[in-house]
Amino acid sequence: MAHLFRLFLCRRGSTTLEYGLVAILLAVAVIGTLSTLGSELQNSLGDLHWGSGTE
C-alpha cells in the first residue's frame, strides 16, 4: 500500500496513472461503440439475408 501511495505522490507515477486512466476510458468507449455497432450490423446483415429469398 505504501508503494501505491509513493507512486501517487511521485510526478512520474501520477503521469503514469493518468495515462492508465485515459487508456481505460478509451477501452470502455471502444468496447461500447463496437458492441452497439456490432448489434446493429448483425441485425442489418440478418435482414439482408432473410430479405434476399435465398437460404
Side-chain angles (χ1 to χ4, degrees):
M1 188 70 168
H3 177 67
L4 289 177
F5 188 68
R6 273 186 285 151
L7 189 64
F8 184 72
L9 289 179
C10 177
R11 181 68 184 146
R12 194 178 89 196
S14 62
T15 303
T16 304
L17 185 64
E18 291 166 359
Y19 280 128
L21 289 174
V22 168
I24 290 171
L25 288 174
L26 229 132
V28 168
V30 167
I31 289 170
T33 302
L34 289 178
S35 66
T36 301
L37 290 178
S39 298
E40 291 179 15
L41 184 62
Q42 186 176 13
N43 290 336
S44 297
L45 292 176
D47 291 344
L48 285 175
H49 174 73
W50 291 108
S52 66
T54 60
E55 293 189 34

